[in-house]
């Protein structure tokens, strides 16, 4: 079991202590030093970035120019932005900052070991799922300072797809390849692991509003896979799809709402989203929305968000999570090159607002997409 800075032993081969994690970061940064900015110092002072505040009356609330948005995570107490400078190469690690949505300031900036995928707060720590040259990685960080507390390799299978994390029944769950792993909170000690499917090489996770059940998507080497409903306490399978999903990667599953999950399936040059009824696992074809590989569906605080870069108003909207019916389109805010990067509080964020793929813009969520229950969640690629 991982032990914190105050002392105690750690299980061999499990969480690396902070010094080892820093050494790994240094080695990774050195390997990438030929093409990026120097790692930040990690101080609490605001990172100096060109931020523009727009006047009221439409358009973005503020913009960050010349940087590349990589991901956004919103928790009960913080908003986190993963980003990088212009000229970033995919093989380089991302930067992670605490974002103040009211001022646009970025604080406690640190360099991650790899490419950001997802982050959540649980057990008093921030857990960051990443992909590195060596495979999947889970970092445990201080949620206020982003100081590194430990690292753990994550199975992502031969496909190399990013790991996925969720909380359920008081534990942290991790999936990426063929294995579903339960970690104890608050310290991240391994409790148990479960095979997802015999032929699984990639997987994704979601959970129900009560955080007692897990939605699991998986795919085999040829892209054929399925979805499962599992207990968030024991990891056992409650129900699984009898219909196969055909694509090039795992079906990305949303969080569960009113006994429904939304599935996003990339199929090659194309892709689609549609909902699945639980626990029957019946695919509801009436909710089908087609697009490219980049189309995704998320259910966040009771609102369905469907987005695809360049997809038009029919593929960039908020709507009813039960029927898929659009409530309002945000396509006009994406511009020619933008994509939906995340939501937090009463704002949504667009990445890639400039023609060269840089730039981040913050917009107010339309009132028709903002029911009283919307408190802020995160999207992830």
């Amino acid at each position: 079991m991982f032990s914190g800075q105050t002392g105690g032993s750690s299980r061999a081969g499990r969480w690396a202590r902070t010094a080892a994690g820093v050494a790994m970061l240094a080695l990774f940064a050195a390997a990438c030093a030929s093409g990026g900015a120097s790692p930040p110092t990690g101080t609490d002072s605001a990172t100096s970035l060109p931020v523009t505040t727009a006047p009221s009356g439409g358009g973005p609330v503020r913009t960050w120019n010349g940087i590349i948005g990589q991901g956004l995570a919103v928790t009960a107490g913080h908003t986190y932005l993963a980003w990088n400078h212009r000229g970033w190469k995919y093989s380089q690690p991302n930067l992670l900052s605490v974002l103040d949505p009211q001022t646009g300031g970025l604080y406690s900036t640190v360099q991650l070991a790899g490419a950001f995928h997802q982050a959540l707060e649980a057990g008093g720590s921030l857990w960051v799922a990443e992909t590195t040259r060596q495979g999947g990685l889970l970092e445990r960080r201080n949620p206020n300072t982003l100081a590194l507390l430990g690292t753990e390799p994550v199975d992502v299978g031969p496909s190399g797809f990013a790991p996925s994390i969720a909380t359920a029944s008081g534990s942290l769950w991790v999936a990426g390849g063929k294995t579903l792993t339960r970690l104890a909170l608050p310290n991240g000690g391994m409790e148990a692991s479960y095979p997802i499917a015999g032929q699984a090489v990639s997987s994704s996770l979601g959970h129900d509003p009560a955080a007692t059940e897990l939605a699991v998507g998986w795919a085999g080497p040829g892209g054929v896979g399925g979805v499962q409903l599992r207990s968030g306490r024991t990891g056992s399978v409650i129900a699984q799809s009898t219909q196969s999903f055909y694509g090039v990667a795992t079906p990305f599953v949303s969080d569960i709402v009113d006994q429904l999950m939304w599935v996003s399936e990339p199929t090659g040059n194309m892709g689609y989203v549609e909902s699945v009824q639980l626990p029957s696992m019946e695919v509801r074809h009436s909710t089908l929305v087609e697009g490219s590989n980049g189309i995704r569906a998320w259910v966040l605080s009771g609102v369905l968000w469907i987005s695809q870069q360049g997809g038009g108003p029919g593929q960039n909207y908020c709507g009813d999570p039960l029927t898929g019916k659009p409530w309002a389109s945000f396509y006009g805010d994406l511009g020619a090159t933008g994509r939906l990067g995340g939501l937090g509080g009463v704002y949504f964020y667009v990445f890639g607002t400039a023609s060269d793929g840089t730039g981040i813009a913050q917009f107010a969520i339309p009132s028709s997409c903002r029911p009283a229950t919307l408190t802020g969640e995160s999207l992830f690629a």
Side-chain angles (χ1 to χ4, degrees), residues 32-114:
C32 300
S34 60
S38 299
T41 59
T43 64
D44 287 334
S45 59
T47 301
S48 178
L49 290 173
V51 181
T52 301
T53 302
S56 59
V61 176
R62 60 179 48 84
T63 60
W64 294 261
N65 301 316
I67 65 173
I68 302 173
Q70 301 299 329
L72 187 84
V74 180
T75 68
H78 300 89
T79 298
Y80 301 97
L81 177 67
W83 59 282
N84 234 308
H85 293 282
R86 179 186 277 117
W88 172 84
K89 297 179 181 178
Y90 187 76
S91 60
Q92 293 174 314
N94 294 162
L95 305 177
L96 184 67
S97 300
V98 179
L99 167 65
D100 184 342
Q102 304 306 317
T103 67
L106 300 178
Y107 297 86
S108 303
T109 300
V110 296
Q111 188 169 34
L112 301 176

Side-chain angles (χ1 to χ4, degrees), residues 36-266:
S38 299
T41 59
T43 64
D44 287 334
S45 59
T47 301
S48 178
L49 290 173
V51 181
T52 301
T53 302
S56 59
V61 176
R62 60 179 48 84
T63 60
W64 294 261
N65 301 316
I67 65 173
I68 302 173
Q70 301 299 329
L72 187 84
V74 180
T75 68
H78 300 89
T79 298
Y80 301 97
L81 177 67
W83 59 282
N84 234 308
H85 293 282
R86 179 186 277 117
W88 172 84
K89 297 179 181 178
Y90 187 76
S91 60
Q92 293 174 314
N94 294 162
L95 305 177
L96 184 67
S97 300
V98 179
L99 167 65
D100 184 342
Q102 304 306 317
T103 67
L106 300 178
Y107 297 86
S108 303
T109 300
V110 296
Q111 188 169 34
L112 301 176
F116 175 91
H117 177 62
Q118 188 184 354
L120 58 83
E121 275 190 59
S125 296
L126 179 70
W127 308 87
V128 185
E130 307 164 33
T131 303
T132 73
R133 290 176 177 175
Q134 290 74 37
L137 185 72
L138 186 64
E139 291 186 347
R140 179 187 174 205
R141 291 184 174 271
N142 181 295
N144 300 308
T145 68
L146 298 184
L148 185 66
L149 302 177
T151 63
E152 170 71 358
V154 176
D155 170 34
V156 291
S159 62
F161 284 98
S164 184
I165 52 178
T167 55
S169 298
S171 297
L172 178 68
W173 293 83
V174 185
K178 63 182 180 180
T179 305
L180 178 64
T181 302
R182 187 176 78 223
L183 302 179
L185 294 172
N187 294 327
M190 182 176 177
E191 292 184 317
S193 62
Y194 311 87
I196 294 175
Q199 62 271 47
V201 296
S202 60
S203 49
S204 64
L205 285 180
H207 62 70
D208 68 333
T212 60
E213 295 178 338
L214 292 167
V216 182
W218 65 273
V224 180
V227 293
Q228 301 173 342
L229 180 67
R230 286 180 177 252
S231 166
R233 183 176 61 86
T234 66
S236 59
V237 176
I238 299 172
Q240 55 187 338
S241 58
T242 57
Q243 174 182 322
S244 296
F245 288 79
Y246 296 87
V248 293
T250 182
F252 296 97
V253 295
S254 74
D255 284 343
I256 299 168
V257 58
D258 289 341
Q259 293 300 297
L260 285 177
M261 75 169 81
W262 282 79
V263 175
S264 308
E265 180 66 271

Side-chain angles (χ1 to χ4, degrees), residues 228-312:
Q228 301 173 342
L229 180 67
R230 286 180 177 252
S231 166
R233 183 176 61 86
T234 66
S236 59
V237 176
I238 299 172
Q240 55 187 338
S241 58
T242 57
Q243 174 182 322
S244 296
F245 288 79
Y246 296 87
V248 293
T250 182
F252 296 97
V253 295
S254 74
D255 284 343
I256 299 168
V257 58
D258 289 341
Q259 293 300 297
L260 285 177
M261 75 169 81
W262 282 79
V263 175
S264 308
E265 180 66 271
T267 61
N269 292 327
M270 303 296 290
Y272 64 90
V273 300
E274 62 186 349
S275 63
V276 176
Q277 184 73 53
L278 303 176
S280 68
M281 311 306 284
E282 179 184 358
V283 177
R284 302 172 73 236
H285 296 299
S286 63
T287 60
L288 175 72
V289 180
E290 294 181 304
S292 74
N293 276 340
I295 192 170
R296 292 289 185 272
W298 300 268
V299 175
L300 304 174
S301 297
V303 179
L304 172 67
W305 295 83
I306 291 180
S307 182
Q308 177 191 318
Q309 186 174 16

